[in-house]
């Protein structure tokens, strides 16, 4: 018969209860290790992983092909060209902005 255990979180050092029912759950799942972290730290780590995934996706901006209205080269822009406004390549864009 399992009994509630008091464990210490290895992240924040707080003591937390590893309850008898949780121990049963762990045994059922075949986990041999006791949880090393308190529920808050486990949730925080999960959250951090989720954010990391979203952060990586954010890096991959969708690029659209457009023809520069100034020099005519094909360029990539991070927005969908609407057609009612000229699109410039990076070089021409900075030139025009410094006129
Ligand atoms: Zn903790
Ligand atoms: Zn250009």
């Amino acid at each position: 018969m399992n009994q509630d255990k008091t464990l210490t979180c290895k992240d924040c050092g707080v003591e937390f209860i590893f309850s008898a029912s949780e121990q049963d759950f762990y045994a059922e799942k075949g986990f041999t290790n006791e949880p090393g972290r308190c529920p808050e730290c486990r949730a925080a780590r999960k959250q951090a992983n989720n954010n990391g995934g979203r952060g990586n996706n954010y890096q991959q901006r969708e690029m659209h092909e457009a023809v520069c209205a100034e020099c005519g080269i094909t360029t990539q822009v991070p927005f969908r060209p609407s057609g009612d406004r000229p699109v410039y390549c990076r070089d021409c864009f900075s030139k025009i902005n410094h006129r």
Side-chain angles (χ1 to χ4, degrees):
M1 207 46 202
N2 286 325
Q3 284 188 338
D4 287 3
K5 269 191 206 176
T6 305
L7 300 177
T8 305
C9 173
K10 62 181 172 189
D11 272 8
C12 66
V14 87
E15 289 193 336
F16 64 98
I17 303 293
F18 186 33
S19 72
S21 60
E22 280 177 300
Q23 290 173 53
D24 286 345
F25 177 78
Y26 266 60
E28 220 169 83
K29 294 280 176 193
F31 298 153
T32 49
N33 293 331
E34 293 177 338
R37 292 179 182 85
C38 68
E40 285 85 56
C41 287
R42 267 179 271 160
R45 283 173 70 86
K46 230 182 189 179
Q47 192 80 32
N49 284 339
N50 287 343
N51 286 343
R54 220 175 295 146
N56 287 340
N57 286 342
Y58 188 67
Q59 297 278 312
Q60 297 177 343
R61 292 178 77 172
E62 202 189 341
M63 297 299 278
H64 298 273
E65 219 160 73
V67 176
C68 174
E70 184 80 6
C71 68
I73 68 159
T74 304
T75 185
Q76 302 265 320
V77 290
F79 55 89
R80 189 181 292 279
S82 59
D84 57 356
R85 238 188 280 179
V87 175
Y88 299 106
C89 68
R90 197 186 295 257
D91 287 350
C92 294
F93 187 78
S94 63
K95 257 188 260 167
I96 284 158
N97 275 339
H98 289 106
R99 253 177 211 166

